[in-house]
């Protein structure tokens, strides 16, 4: 709502808050990071987002395309989250078969990275006694919705996300 936006703008400008039930303000030191999949500029034009708040929160903007437009990143995310989920479920799955990888790379990922993590968790539960994820471990709706193959080179194992972030930061 616009009234909440006004309160947020005040906090961002004055760097102070008033705790619930208190009449005293308290200075705070913070960094504000926000993420959205909404076009804020359009909301400003429609009068649903304060223009002054828009300019306050868009000092640095990063536009990250959806996963379906970055298919070459799918293996990177898969291996990153495979490692994390292995730790969580105490499994030892280290590889993804070429067929399973092709299906996952060519899937449209309407739920983006959150969906990828969910699919990987389901898959790891099904494949928990194996060392490799195979196509038959994937949820049944994934192969059905996979698009025609793209010409994305799919390595067996890719650099870590940390390496990719470091590389991207160097290029900024």
């Amino acid at each position: 709502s616009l009234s909440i936006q006004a309160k947020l703008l005040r906090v961002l400008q004055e760097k102070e808050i008033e705790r619930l039930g208190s009449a005293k303000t308290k200075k705070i030191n913070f960094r504000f990071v926000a993420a959205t999949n909404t076009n804020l500029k359009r909301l400003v034009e429609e009068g649903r987002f304060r223009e002054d708040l828009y300019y306050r929160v868009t000092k640095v903007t990063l536009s990250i395309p959806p996963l379906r437009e970055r298919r070459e990143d799918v293996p990177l995310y898969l291996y990153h989250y495979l490692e994390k989920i292995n730790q969580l479920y105490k499994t030892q799955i280290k590889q993804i078969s070429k067929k399973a990888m092709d299906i996952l790379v060519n899937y449209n990922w309407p739920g983006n990275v959150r969906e990828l993590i969910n699919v990987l968790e389901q898959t790891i539960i099904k494949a928990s006694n194996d060392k490799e994820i195979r196509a038959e471990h994937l949820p049944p709706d994934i192969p059905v919705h996979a698009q025609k193959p793209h010409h994305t080179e799919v390595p067996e194992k890719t650099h870590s996300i940390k390496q990719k972030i470091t590389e991207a930061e160097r290029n900024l």
Side-chain angles (χ1 to χ4, degrees):
S1 77
L2 292 175
S3 65
I4 297 290
Q5 291 176 32
K7 291 176 184 180
L8 177 59
L9 180 62
R10 183 177 172 273
V11 169
L12 293 173
Q13 285 179 315
E14 306 301 325
K15 297 197 185 259
E16 61 184 26
I17 59 170
E18 191 173 299
R19 292 189 176 183
L20 285 175
S22 175
K24 292 188 345 185
T25 60
K26 179 180 178 181
K27 286 285 187 187
I28 56 174
N29 184 12
F30 65 93
R31 294 185 200 275
F32 182 78
V33 178
T36 184
N37 61 357
T38 305
N39 183 334
L40 294 180
K41 190 68 171 168
R42 186 175 61 236
L43 292 180
V44 168
E45 291 165 1
E46 294 170 1
R48 296 179 14 203
F49 196 87
R50 291 178 59 114
E51 187 173 23
D52 47 0
L53 180 58
Y54 173 80
Y55 290 114
R56 190 53 83 168
V57 299
T58 58
K59 289 181 181 179
V60 176
T61 58
L62 298 174
S63 179
I64 301 172
L67 199 51
R68 69 182 161 273
E69 294 176 16
R70 300 178 290 125
R71 295 186 190 280
E72 68 279 0
D73 289 350
V74 170
L76 179 71
Y77 283 108
L78 286 169
Y79 280 112
H80 173 76
Y81 288 108
L82 177 62
E83 199 173 301
K84 289 189 169 295
I85 296 167
N86 270 329
Q87 290 172 359
L88 179 68
Y89 292 120
K90 304 205 182 333
T91 52
Q92 299 294 318
I93 300 168
K94 300 293 182 198
Q95 291 295 318
I96 301 171
S97 74
K98 180 167 180 11
K99 184 176 180 184
M101 183 64 80
D102 287 343
I103 290 168
L104 293 168
V105 165
N106 289 299
Y107 181 63
N108 201 30
W109 299 110
N112 226 341
V113 176
R114 286 187 188 101
E115 182 183 13
L116 181 140
I117 294 167
N118 180 278
V119 164
L120 197 53
E121 285 177 331
Q122 291 177 52
T123 303
I124 287 174
I125 290 168
K126 287 182 184 176
S128 62
N129 295 328
D130 293 327
K131 298 287 184 201
E132 178 182 68
I133 291 173
R134 295 187 310 274
E136 59 264 21
H137 297 131
L138 298 174
D141 55 331
I142 296 296
V144 172
H145 291 100
Q147 296 178 347
K148 292 180 181 171
H150 291 264
H151 299 292
T152 300
E153 192 65 34
V154 179
E156 284 299 312
K157 182 99 174 170
T158 59
H159 295 1
S160 73
I161 284 184
K162 288 179 184 174
Q163 288 171 312
K164 287 288 189 180
I165 290 171
T166 301
E167 184 180 307
E169 286 174 343
R170 267 191 249 128
N171 293 330
L172 284 179

